[in-house]
């Protein structure tokens, strides 16, 4: 029994300023405890999904995609009530993964109000391939049990059961020792018998080991801007939210072994394989009767002619044959790798910006090694005099998406974003999020503030920590 248990409710560092489990530390600990499967269920987001999938597989751990979503207590677009409930969703199939991505995206784009929220109607429409767990004390089943009693909770349980495919909703019991949790656990066991719904054991893991509880408590203070000594602040009252061993989970739920068995069963049901490396790009619309590759070649040929004419006007000597051979080689690679549309799209919106007087940078990074980009005026750096290699940007032996680093004026970049969204479809345009880690000096100040130290004391200690550049020197 113990060896087959899997944790299905776990928060990593991607549960920002709440989860304290680093992925790189998670996998060795799982192996130590004899587990080979784990789910990632961060609060309201899937920021860590790809990182988790790639690193877990590399470490010999089976990853399960999940999310602890916020379900609004009414329509998700209602901005009059902040009330939400937790619900854990796990991707059982690839369809389930896609539905999970859709739900989380909709939560941010259309349901955000203090939290990214979905509602039951949306969940019902996109629950195929998903497994639902009733979540922690913040779940609607648990909240209803505590506030309105078993009769009303029975109605809520039946409502949630109907949101999912048959056999895909589980009542979640947890061994955290809280009085309220113990009451909920006992009530859930009775509700499971009444409704013939399965139980599942989880531990709502927020940190790796029991000893990490105080550090996690401090992290929550940093998140909420409170001090550890504040009596009314949000906190975990127990130190039980760690990655428990299968044996510890078995001791906690020896009286309901089916809850442990179902954790293993769910782990076996969830099988999602992603095809990484694929690119899904909108297609640039060329004139009727013209092939995409032919249109790109025409634009490059005309653009290179203009560049060479400019060289001549400035009295700069250039070997035209070398330039045309290099352009032909690059075009062949671009066509072969299927990125003709990508180059034309980038050419299009940069051309749009320049025509409207939006300042555009000359180009940075490996994209400056492309003569095709120079001919199209995507970049303004001629790669030949500087021996810049096109293969650093696009290499058929290392298939990856090309990536132009483009700078637009910060005051008018929204005009370009709007143009791209309107022309190529808002569903085809996304902006990249940057995840910043807490740095030593900054986190020292944050922790000191949470522990009640004065700003002067915190600043004095923080300044004793060498910066990375000084440390490297």
């Amino acid at each position: 029994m113990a060896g087959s248990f899997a944790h299905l409710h776990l928060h990593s560092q991607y549960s920002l300023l709440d989860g304290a489990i680093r992925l790189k530390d998670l996998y060795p600990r799982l192996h130590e405890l004899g587990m080979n499967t784990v789910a990632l269920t961060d609060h309201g987001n899937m920021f860590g999904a790809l990182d988790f999938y790639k690193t877990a597989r590399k470490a010999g751990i089976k990853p399960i995609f999940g999310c602890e979503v916020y379900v609004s207590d009414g329509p998700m677009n209602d901005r009059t009530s902040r009330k939400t409930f937790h619900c854990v969703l796990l991707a059982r199939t690839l369809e389930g993964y896609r539905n999970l991505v859709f739900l989380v995206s909709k939560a941010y784009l259309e349901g955000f109000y203090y939290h990214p929220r979905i509602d039951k109607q949306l969940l019902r429409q996109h629950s195929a391939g998903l497994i639902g767990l009733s979540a922690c004390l913040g779940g609607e089943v648990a909240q209803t049990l505590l506030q309105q009693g078993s009769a009303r909770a029975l109605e809520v349980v039946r409502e949630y059961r109907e949101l999912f495919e048959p056999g895909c909703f589980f009542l979640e019991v947890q061994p955290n020792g809280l009085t309220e949790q113990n009451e909920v656990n006992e009530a859930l066991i009775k509700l499971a018998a009444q409704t013939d719904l399965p139980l599942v054991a989880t531990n709502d893991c927020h940190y790796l080991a029991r000893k990490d509880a105080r550090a996690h408590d401090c992290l929550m203070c940093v998140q909420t801007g409170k001090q550890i000594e504040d009596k009314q602040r949000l906190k975990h009252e127990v130190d039980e939210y760690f990655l428990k061993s299968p044996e510890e989970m078995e001791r906690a739920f020896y009286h309901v072994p089916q809850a442990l068995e179902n954790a293993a069963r769910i782990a076996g049901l969830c099988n999602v394989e992603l095809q990484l490396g694929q690119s899904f790009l909108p297609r640039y619309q060329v004139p009727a009767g013209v092939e995409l590759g032919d249109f790109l070649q025409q634009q490059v040929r005309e653009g290179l002619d203009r560049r060479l004419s400019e060289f001549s006007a400035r009295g700069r000597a250039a070997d035209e044959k070398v330039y045309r051979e290099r352009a032909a080689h690059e075009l062949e690679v671009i066509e072969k790798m299927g990125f003709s549309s990508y180059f034309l799209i980038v050419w299009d919106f940069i051309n749009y910006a320049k025509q409207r007087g939006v300042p555009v940078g000359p180009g940075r990074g490996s994209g400056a090694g492309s003569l095709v980009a120079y001919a199209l005026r995507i970049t303004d750096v001629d790669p030949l005099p500087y021996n810049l290699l096109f293969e650093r940007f696009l290499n058929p032996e290392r298939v990856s998406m090309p990536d132009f680093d483009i700078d637009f004026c910060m005051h008018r970049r929204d005009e370009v974003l709007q143009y791209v969204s309107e022309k190529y479809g808002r569903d085809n345009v996304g902006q990249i999020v940057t995840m910043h880690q807490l740095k030593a000096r900054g986190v020292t100040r944050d922790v000191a503030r949470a522990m009640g130290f004065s700003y002067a004391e915190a600043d004095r200690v923080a300044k004793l920590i060498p910066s990375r550049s000084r440390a490297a020197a």
Side-chain angles (χ1 to χ4, degrees):
M1 167 71 67
S4 59
F5 179 79
H7 279 286
L8 302 176
H9 189 160
L10 180 142
H11 299 279
S12 74
Q13 75 262 36
Y14 289 100
S15 286
L16 305 179
L17 295 180
D18 183 10
I21 297 177
R22 295 184 179 93
L23 295 181
K24 66 182 181 65
D25 300 326
L26 172 62
Y27 311 130
R29 184 60 177 156
L30 287 169
H31 284 304
E32 286 176 21
L33 298 176
M35 291 179 278
N36 59 14
T37 304
V38 70
L40 184 67
T41 57
D42 284 312
H43 283 301
N45 74 67
M46 294 179 69
F47 299 155
L50 187 58
D51 184 14
F52 170 61
Y53 180 76
K54 293 166 72 174
T55 54
R57 286 165 62 93
K58 187 175 181 179
I61 297 293
K62 176 183 172 181
I64 297 175
F65 293 106
C67 181
E68 186 168 21
V69 298
Y70 298 95
V71 181
S72 64
D73 188 33
M76 60 189 282
N77 56 6
D78 178 25
R79 302 293 192 272
T80 61
S81 172
R82 293 178 57 179
K83 189 174 182 181
T84 59
F85 302 105
H86 294 191
C87 179
V88 174
L89 302 179
L90 304 173
R92 182 170 55 86
T93 63
L94 185 59
E95 181 185 14
Y97 169 77
R98 289 172 176 156
N99 275 326
L100 184 59
V101 170
F102 180 87
L103 289 167
V104 171
S105 298
K106 283 289 186 182
Y108 276 94
L109 294 172
E110 299 179 14
F112 198 95
Y113 184 62
Y114 292 91
H115 297 290
R117 310 172 306 164
I118 61 171
D119 57 27
K120 291 174 186 172
Q121 180 180 352
L122 188 70
L123 179 56
R124 181 181 291 107
Q125 293 169 351
H126 298 278
S127 63
L130 290 174
I131 287 175
L133 314 183
S134 61
C136 55
L137 291 176
E140 186 171 4
V141 175
Q143 286 291 300
T144 306
L145 278 167
L146 293 170
Q147 297 175 15
Q148 301 179 51
S150 296
R152 173 62 185 137
L154 179 60
E155 296 175 10
V156 173
V157 166
R158 287 171 172 161
E159 182 182 16
Y160 270 86
R161 178 174 61 185
E162 296 306 312
L163 296 179
F164 296 90
E165 295 174 307
C168 288
F169 180 64
F170 292 73
L171 298 176
E172 189 173 344
V173 292
Q174 298 183 358
N176 56 42
L178 290 170
T179 301
E180 296 94 334
Q181 185 69 63
N182 291 337
E183 292 176 11
V184 167
N185 286 349
E186 291 304 313
L188 288 175
I189 291 170
K190 294 176 182 178
L191 283 172
Q194 279 182 269
T195 58
D196 200 28
L197 278 172
L199 294 166
V200 63
T202 74
N203 198 47
D204 197 4
C205 307
H206 280 70
Y207 40 91
L208 272 186
R210 189 189 297 274
K211 64 181 177 61
D212 299 326
R214 181 165 171 79
H216 178 262
D217 192 38
C218 194
L219 182 68
M220 292 182 69
C221 287
V222 172
Q223 177 204 149
T224 57
K226 303 292 185 180
Q227 293 186 0
I228 288 176
E229 298 305 319
D230 291 344
K231 302 299 182 184
Q232 302 301 317
R233 67 182 174 84
L234 175 68
K235 65 176 294 185
H236 290 168
E237 299 294 340
V238 293
D239 59 358
E240 298 288 339
Y241 296 98
F242 63 94
L243 191 77
K244 292 184 176 178
S245 69
E247 292 76 17
E248 288 173 300
M249 295 297 291
E250 192 170 353
R251 285 195 295 271
F253 292 117
Y254 66 91
H255 57 302
V256 279
Q258 67 271 28
L260 300 162
E261 293 166 2
N262 284 331
R265 182 163 73 87
I266 291 171
L269 289 172
C270 295
N271 296 288
V272 177
E273 296 278 338
L274 298 184
Q275 298 298 317
L276 301 181
Q278 290 180 296
S279 58
F280 301 91
L281 293 168
R283 186 175 176 84
Y284 182 85
Q285 294 300 313
V286 297
V290 179
E291 293 294 325
L292 195 66
D294 294 339
F295 186 77
L296 176 60
Q297 288 182 28
Q298 177 188 342
Q299 299 306 315
V300 171
R301 184 168 57 250
E302 293 174 359
L304 189 56
D305 287 343
R306 286 191 292 270
R307 288 291 195 186
L308 292 171
S309 296
E310 291 167 4
F311 293 169
S312 179
R314 295 199 304 266
R316 174 185 159 186
D319 189 332
E320 183 175 333
K321 181 181 178 183
V322 172
Y323 275 84
R324 296 203 184 280
E325 287 179 351
R326 168 72 173 260
H329 165 70
E330 290 188 15
L331 284 166
E332 183 180 354
V333 172
I334 292 166
E335 176 74 16
K336 181 180 179 181
M337 296 182 71
F339 292 126
S340 296
S341 191
Y342 172 79
F343 272 77
L344 288 169
I345 290 170
V346 176
W347 162 73
D348 175 44
F349 66 73
I350 287 182
N351 190 42
Y352 171 87
K354 290 180 176 179
Q355 286 179 351
R356 278 152 186 77
V358 178
V360 182
R364 293 182 290 112
S366 60
S370 170
L371 183 63
V372 165
Y374 180 61
L376 292 173
R377 297 182 190 267
I378 291 173
T379 65
D380 282 314
V381 178
D382 181 357
L384 269 64
Y386 305 103
N387 296 317
L388 301 181
L389 301 177
F390 173 69
E391 285 72 22
R392 286 196 62 239
F393 179 63
L394 205 57
N395 192 330
E397 296 180 4
R398 189 186 68 251
V399 179
S400 61
M401 271 289 294
D403 179 24
F404 283 113
D405 295 313
I406 304 163
D407 298 302
F408 293 105
C409 170
M410 60 184 293
H411 299 296
R412 299 187 62 189
R413 64 191 298 270
D414 287 347
E415 297 175 38
V416 184
L417 289 173
Q418 183 176 351
Y419 170 76
V420 175
S421 298
E422 290 177 354
K423 180 162 184 176
Y424 298 101
R426 295 191 181 278
D427 291 345
N428 291 320
V429 179
Q431 295 190 54
I432 296 173
V433 66
T434 302
M435 297 292 177
H436 291 281
Q437 293 182 318
L438 297 171
K439 300 297 191 295
R441 286 186 172 187
V443 79
T444 297
R445 292 187 175 93
D446 288 336
V447 171
R449 185 165 52 249
M451 296 179 70
F453 287 92
S454 69
Y455 176 81
E457 291 174 299
D459 190 58
R460 181 176 60 81
V461 174
K463 286 180 177 177
L464 295 174
I465 301 171
S467 64
R468 178 174 293 184
S469 58
R470 285 173 57 195

